[in-house]
Amino acid sequence: MMSQQQEIAQRIRELGFRLTPQRQLILDILSALDRHATATEIYDQVQSVSPAVNRATVYRTLNFLCEIRVLVAGTISGKTVYEIADPTPHHHLVCTGCKHVTVLGDHHFEELAAHLLDEHDFQADIDHLTIHGLCQPCRAAASG
Amino acid sequence: MMSQQQEIAQRIRELGFRLTPQRQLILDILSALDRHATATEIYDQVQSVSPAVNRATVYRTLNFLCEIRVLVAGTISGKTVYEIADPTPHHHLVCTGCKHVTVLGDHHFEELAAHLLDEHDFQADIDHLTIHGLCQPCRAAASG
DNA sequence: CTCGTTATTGCAACAATTCGCAATAAAGCA
DNA sequence: TGCTTTATTGCGAATTGTTGCAATAACGAG
Ligand SMILES: [Mn+2]
Ligand SMILES: [Mn+2]
Ligand SMILES: [Zn+2]
Ligand SMILES: [Zn+2]
């Protein structure tokens, strides 16, 4: 039984990449936060611990970790956010009224993915979608 | 029978906003382009016609026109792109292998929207989604 | 443990995007 | 047409994100 951090470390090395202190720090921060965070939020936390780490390194690390699927990125209300990827994908509903964010299981999209494969010969990679709209309370408030 | 530009002009005024030369120019450019364009592409074209128009105005105008739904924005292979909104929404499939972009009709998402309303009481506003994945030729190339 | 390869970093310049604020001008009205 | 209101612009500066390159350091081999 490996910890999540150990599994990630192994994955990075297996792919021929290196586990640097900068990468570990960013993973620690995201692991402790346990929620969506913007690049700036992450950079600020990195700074408060290791001021020598450069901004470019943070951006490059976030992109790198997304590419090897250790992280997932998403756009929520116009902001790019990052988090550690779950073993099973999840998605989000975002209310444009109250800005509330809810989690959505992957199964809602399986049907869609099947259609895209059937009808368009396209293997969709639906990882971490965000769907904007209006929640029930906000709809009631708007129409009432 | 109104032209598309006239309808947009009317919409802007009806909502209490103003139709400025800057807004008209940006709409003309997008209308002539008739495809996805980045903010930088649009700014460059604006510059070549009206060098006095400021970069901030272009960004503010693009955001404004998206908010009132005259434009739709999207993220394609990591870049934010804009285009004039069709009367009927469309979406895109983007292959991460060959970067090819295809159009997808709205009907693929009606089922999903219905589920979200039923099961989550959420009125999804699915306007202009982008789904990344692999097209058939790229899958064949990868596995073959 | 030491060495060599090369992935990764820091740096610095650059490009893209956002923001506050004072000046401008669109649109409705007399 | 001329006046008033205030939405919108331009400007300058701050913030955020990207890039080329030389210096550094992770990690496998010996
Ligand atoms: Mn998430
Ligand atoms: Mn489109
Ligand atoms: Zn809401
Ligand atoms: Zn392809």
Side-chain angles (χ1 to χ4, degrees), chain A residues 13-125:
Chain A
R13 290 209 180 89
E14 274 174 0
L15 292 167
F17 300 113
R18 296 174 187 178
L19 185 60
T20 64
Q22 292 90 336
R23 289 178 177 170
Q24 287 188 60
L25 174 56
I26 289 170
L27 286 167
D28 286 346
I29 288 170
L30 280 169
S31 181
L33 269 183
D34 196 34
R35 59 170 178 81
H36 295 153
T38 64
T40 300
E41 282 173 338
I42 296 163
Y43 174 67
D44 288 345
Q45 293 220 27
V46 166
Q47 281 303 88
S48 72
V49 178
S50 296
V53 176
N54 192 270
R55 184 190 302 274
T57 300
V58 173
Y59 283 98
R60 282 189 291 226
T61 298
L62 292 173
N63 286 335
F64 164 73
L65 293 173
C66 283
E67 261 168 33
I68 66 171
R69 302 197 172 245
V70 163
L71 302 184
V72 288
T75 305
I76 292 185
S77 301
K79 289 168 176 286
T80 302
V81 294
Y82 301 86
E83 70 184 315
I84 294 181
D86 300 330
T88 70
H90 72 265
H91 312 278
H92 297 281
L93 298 178
V94 179
C95 177
T96 49
C98 61
K99 312 294 176 194
H100 189 70
V101 178
T102 62
V103 177
L104 203 59
D106 197 38
H107 63 277
H108 292 85
F109 298 92
E110 286 168 5
E111 199 167 44
L112 174 64
H115 280 205
L116 295 179
L117 194 57
D118 280 358
E119 298 173 30
H120 297 269
D121 235 329
F122 187 86
Q123 186 170 54
D125 175 29

Side-chain angles (χ1 to χ4, degrees), chain B residues 9-132:
Chain B
Q10 191 181 38
R11 174 133 48 121
I12 290 174
R13 291 210 179 90
E14 273 173 2
L15 292 168
F17 299 113
R18 298 175 186 176
L19 184 60
T20 64
Q22 292 89 337
R23 289 178 177 172
Q24 288 187 59
L25 174 57
I26 289 171
L27 285 167
D28 286 346
I29 288 169
L30 280 169
S31 180
L33 268 183
D34 196 34
R35 59 170 179 81
H36 294 153
T38 65
T40 300
E41 282 173 338
I42 296 164
Y43 174 68
D44 288 344
Q45 293 221 26
V46 166
Q47 280 305 88
S48 72
V49 178
S50 295
V53 176
N54 193 270
R55 191 188 298 272
T57 299
V58 173
Y59 282 99
R60 283 188 292 225
T61 298
L62 291 173
N63 285 334
F64 163 73
L65 292 174
C66 284
E67 263 169 30
I68 66 171
R69 302 194 170 247
V70 163
L71 302 183
V72 288
T75 305
I76 292 185
S77 301
K79 288 170 177 284
T80 302
V81 294
Y82 302 86
E83 70 183 314
I84 293 182
D86 299 330
T88 70
H90 72 265
H91 312 278
H92 296 281
L93 298 178
V94 180
C95 176
T96 48
C98 61
K99 312 295 177 195
H100 189 70
V101 178
T102 63
V103 177
L104 202 59
D106 197 38
H107 64 276
H108 292 86
F109 298 92
E110 286 168 5
E111 199 167 44
L112 174 64
H115 280 205
L116 296 179
L117 194 57
D118 281 358
E119 298 173 30
H120 296 269
D121 235 329
F122 187 86
Q123 187 171 54
D125 174 29
I126 304 180
D127 243 310
H128 191 235
L129 280 189
T130 298
I131 294 186
H132 292 258

